[in-house]
Amino acid sequence: MIATLLTPRFLRNALPALSLTVLLLAIFYLQPRAMSYFGLNLLLNLALPIAFATIAQMCIITVNDLDLGVGAYVGLVAAIGATWLNETPLLGAAALLGCIAVYAALGALIHLRNLPSIVVTLGMSFVWLGLALLVLPTPGGKVPDWIRAIMTLKTPFLPFTIYAAIGVGVIVHFGLMRSSYGVVLRGAGGNPRSVSRAGWSLLRTKVTMFALAGFFGMLSGLSLIGLTTSADANIALRYTLLSIAGVILGGGEFVGGRISPIGAVIGAMTLTLAASFLSFLRLPPDWQIGAQGGILILVLAFRAVINRAEARR
Amino acid sequence: MTPTLRIAARLLEKPWLWAFAAAFFVWLATIVFTGGQGAAAVLTAALAFGTFSVIVGIGQMYVITLGPGNVDLSIPATMTFAGAASMKIMDTQDSMIFIGLLVALGVGVSVGIFNYALIRLLRIPPIIATLSSSFVFQSAAIAYGRGIKIKPPPVLAEFTTARIVGIPILAIFTVILAVIMAVVLHKTVYGRSVIAIGQNPRAAGFSGISVGFTRFATYVLSATLAGLCGFVLSGFSGGASLNMGAEFLLASIAVVVIGGTSVAGGFANIPGLWGAALFMFLLVTMLNTFGLGAGIRLIMTGLIIISVITLAGGKSTGR
C-alpha cells in the first residue's frame, strides 16, 4: 500500500492536489476564520474565472500551441458582456459566437500555414484589446442580471465557485481524458503524424481545440463580470500568464498533449490562494505576483526531483 | 544583367528589406497626409522610441534563434527591476551614473543566470522558466520601487534625450550596438554556435559545440540587454515606473518576427530589427495622424503582425 503511494507516478499526479492542500492548511492555520462558508467564498471567489481561462489555455497547449492573447480575449468578452449582452442580448450572443468562430479560424490558420502560435496569438492580443476598447472605451457597463444571479448563487455547504470549478474540471476530464475523440485530440498533440496517418484530420482537431479555448475563454469573461459587476478592457490582461502557470502547475506539460484538466483547475485555485496567502502572513501585497512565481518554481522543483528519482530506478 | 541590376536583385533577397520598405511607405503616407509637415520630427521620434525595442529585440532575437520553444518572457520584469534598482541607487546624483549602469547590467546578468538555472535544474521549457522568474522579478521591482517615481540624474536624462542634427545620440549608440551584435552573430564562434543550435541542436552537439554554455550565454545576454534597456529608458522617460516594461514583451517579439528572423530558429537578422522597430512606431504615428482611436490602432497593429507572419511564415523548416 505504502509502496504504491510512494511511486513517482503517483506522487507526480498527486502533486497539484498536495500543493493546494498544503496552501489551504497553511491559510487555515494562520487564520482559522477563513475556514467558513464566507471565508472560503472570499478566498476562492476569483478562482472560477481563472480556472476557465486556464482550461482555455490547456486546450491550446494540448495541440502543442500557446495562447498569448487569452487575457485580452477575456477582457473583450467582459466588455461585450457588460454592454451589448445586457442592452441587446441577441447582438451580444451573436458577437460572442463570432469570437469563438474567430478562435476556430485562428486554429485553422495556424495549422494550414504552419505558423508559430505565439506570434499569431500575440498579434491577436492587440486585436482583442482594440476591439474591447471599441466596445467599452471607459471602464463601466452593466452586467446582465442573470449572470450576476448565477455567480452569487447561494449553494449549501460550500460556495458556488467551488462546485462550479470542480464541475468544470470533471466535465472536461471526461471530455478529453475519457472519451474516444478526446484521445484523438490529445494524440494530435502527442504524435500528430500517427494520428493523421490513422485517418484523422489534424485540421479538425486543431479547429476543435481552438474553438473550445474560445468557448472557455468566453465563460471566463462572463463569470468574471458576474463577480465584478462591471467591466474594463484591461480587466484580465494578467490572465494570459496566470493561465499558462495554472496549466503547468496542474501537471500539464508543454509538448506531447500531456494535460490534466482537473490538475489545471487545481492549479488555478492554487494561484488564486497564493495571492491571498501573503495577506494572511501580513506580508505586503507587493509580493503577490512573486508568491505565485515562487509557488510555481517550488512545485516544478518537486516535480524535477520526482522525475529524477524515477529515472534512477 | 548589369552590375546595378545584380545588386538590386541581391538586395531584394534580403528579408530585412521588407521591414524598411514598409517603414518607408508608412512614413510617406503620414507626411502626404500632413502635407509634408513634421516629416523630420516624426523620423526623429521614431529613431528615439525605436531604440528601446531594438535593444531588447537583439536579446530576444538571439534567444529565438536558439530554436523552437526558446523565448524570453522575463524581459519586461527585468527592465522594470533594473530601472527601479538603478534609479534608486543613483538617487539623482550624476557621480553615481556609472555605478547605476553597473547595477542595471548586474540585475540583467543575475536574471539571466537565474533563468538558465531554472531551465537546466528543473528541466522545464524556457517559456515556463522565464515566465516564473518574471513573476518573481516583477514583484521584486514593485516591492523595491514602492511606486515612487525616482528621477534619473540630470546628466543621464540629458544624454538619453540628446540629439545631433536631429538624430538621437542613443539611436547612434544603438546602431553601433546592432553592428557589433551582427558581427558577433556572424563572425564569432559563439554567434555561429547560436545559429547552428537553432538549425539542429543534436547536430550542433555532435560537431563539438557546447550547447549548454551557448544557451546559458544567450539567456544572460538577453537579460543583460533588457537591464541596459531599463536603464536608458528610465533616463529617457524621466524615471523608472512599474509598468515601463509592459509593452516590451510584445514589442521585443514583434520586431524580431517582422524583422525577418525565423521564428523556427536558426536564422537571425539584425538589420531587420531596426526596420521593424521604425515600422512599428511609424505605423502607430500614421494611425494617430489619421485621427484613429486607440481601439482601431491596436486592431491594425495586431492584424499587421499576423499578416506579416502569414506572408513570411508557412515555409517548411527543412525537417
Side-chain angles (χ1 to χ4, degrees), chain B residues 113-205:
Chain B
I113 293 175
F114 188 72
N115 279 341
Y116 189 71
L118 287 181
I119 296 173
R120 193 60 205 256
L121 296 178
L122 305 188
R123 296 189 188 168
I124 49 179
I127 295 183
I128 300 300
T130 53
L131 171 72
S132 4
S133 78
S134 84
F135 280 169
V136 175
F137 289 109
Q138 182 69 37
S139 245
I142 295 174
Y144 191 74
R146 289 254 95 213
I148 327 156
K149 190 158 180 168
I150 306 165
K151 282 208 164 74
V155 171
L156 178 66
E158 230 166 76
F159 169 77
T160 46
T161 47
R163 284 167 195 172
I164 299 177
V165 285
I167 302 172
I169 291 186
L170 213 51
I172 299 174
F173 273 94
T174 309
V175 168
I176 297 173
L177 177 73
V179 171
I180 294 173
M181 293 316 288
V183 172
V184 168
L185 183 72
H186 295 295
K187 302 289 177 204
T188 65
V189 174
Y190 162 69
R192 292 192 168 192
S193 304
V194 171
I195 296 177
I197 291 170
Q199 285 169 359
N200 191 333
R202 283 191 69 193

Side-chain angles (χ1 to χ4, degrees), chain A residues 131-192:
Chain A
L131 287 172
L133 282 175
L134 286 186
V135 175
L136 186 73
T138 50
K142 192 183 171 301
V143 179
D145 293 327
W146 58 272
I147 296 181
R148 184 91 193 110
I150 294 176
M151 289 310 292
T152 50
L153 210 62
K154 285 265 179 296
T155 43
F157 306 118
L158 288 172
F160 170 70
T161 43
I162 298 183
Y163 287 118
I166 294 173
V168 173
V170 170
I171 291 172
V172 179
H173 179 84
F174 277 97
L176 277 180
M177 312 301 281
R178 295 274 177 225
S179 78
S180 53
Y181 193 57
V183 174
V184 175
L185 290 173
R186 285 184 292 130
N191 194 340

Side-chain angles (χ1 to χ4, degrees), chain B residues 200-221:
Chain B
N200 191 333
R202 283 191 69 193
F206 285 141
S207 65
I209 291 171
S210 166
V211 177
F213 177 77
T214 308
R215 292 180 77 200
F216 168 72
T218 307
Y219 279 94
V220 172
L221 172 72

Side-chain angles (χ1 to χ4, degrees), chain A residues 1-312:
Chain A
M1 179 65 194
I2 290 174
T4 53
L5 281 182
L6 286 175
T7 54
R9 191 192 157 88
F10 176 82
L11 279 177
R12 193 167 43 228
N13 288 337
L15 195 55
L18 220 59
S19 33
L20 178 66
T21 315
V22 169
L23 199 57
L24 210 52
L25 286 179
I27 287 178
F28 288 158
Y29 174 75
L30 289 168
Q31 180 53 273
R33 265 174 291 179
M35 212 179 347
S36 63
Y37 189 94
F38 185 69
L40 277 177
N41 196 22
L42 274 183
L43 276 177
L44 288 167
N45 214 343
L46 284 169
L48 190 59
I50 298 180
F52 277 128
T54 306
I55 294 278
Q57 183 70 259
M58 191 196 70
C59 292
I60 307 268
I61 288 182
T62 309
V63 282
N64 292 351
D65 283 320
L66 194 64
D67 187 355
L68 289 184
V70 68
Y73 173 71
V74 172
L76 171 62
V77 172
I80 293 176
T83 51
W84 295 352
L85 197 60
N86 188 44
E87 293 145 20
T88 44
L90 263 182
L91 176 67
L96 292 178
L97 280 179
C99 288
I100 297 177
V102 171
Y103 248 92
L106 282 181
L109 178 73
I110 286 171
H111 177 76
L112 292 174
R113 296 284 295 160
N114 193 17
L115 301 179
S117 56
I118 295 187
V119 183
V120 175
T121 53
L122 195 59
M124 280 314 287
S125 77
F126 286 99
V127 177
W128 299 131
L129 186 60
L131 287 172
L133 282 175
L134 286 186
V135 175
L136 186 73
T138 50
K142 192 183 171 301
V143 179
D145 293 327
W146 58 272
I147 296 181
R148 184 91 193 110
I150 294 176
M151 289 310 292
T152 50
L153 210 62
K154 285 265 179 296
T155 43
F157 306 118
L158 288 172
F160 170 70
T161 43
I162 298 183
Y163 287 118
I166 294 173
V168 173
V170 170
I171 291 172
V172 179
H173 179 84
F174 277 97
L176 277 180
M177 312 301 281
R178 295 274 177 225
S179 78
S180 53
Y181 193 57
V183 174
V184 175
L185 290 173
R186 285 184 292 130
N191 194 340
R193 195 177 284 179
S194 56
V195 166
S196 122
R197 283 203 183 139
W200 298 95
S201 158
L202 283 180
L203 176 66
R204 224 180 103 188
T205 56
K206 209 124 200 173
V207 168
T208 309
M209 287 321 259
F210 271 75
L212 276 177
F215 173 72
F216 284 112
M218 179 191 79
L219 292 184
S220 171
L222 294 183
S223 59
L224 180 60
I225 53 169
L227 294 167
T228 57
T229 67
S230 71
D232 170 8
N234 298 307
I235 196 166
L237 287 184
R238 62 195 189 92
Y239 277 23
T240 302
L241 300 184
L242 269 184
S243 64
I244 302 174
V247 174
I248 302 302
L249 208 52
E253 276 175 39
F254 238 37
V255 283
R258 281 188 213 143
I259 47 152
S260 160
I262 293 179
V265 171
I266 294 177
M269 287 183 152
T270 312
L271 287 175
T272 318
L273 282 182
S276 17
F277 180 56
L278 287 178
S279 46
F280 288 110
L281 281 178
R282 291 172 204 282
L283 282 173
D286 302 349
W287 288 99
Q288 267 189 12
I289 325 168
Q292 292 170 335
I295 288 185
L296 188 57
I297 293 174
L298 211 63
V299 172
L300 288 172
F302 271 120
R303 201 183 298 167
V305 169
I306 295 172
N307 285 345
R308 220 161 276 181
E310 188 179 39
R312 214 174 290 142

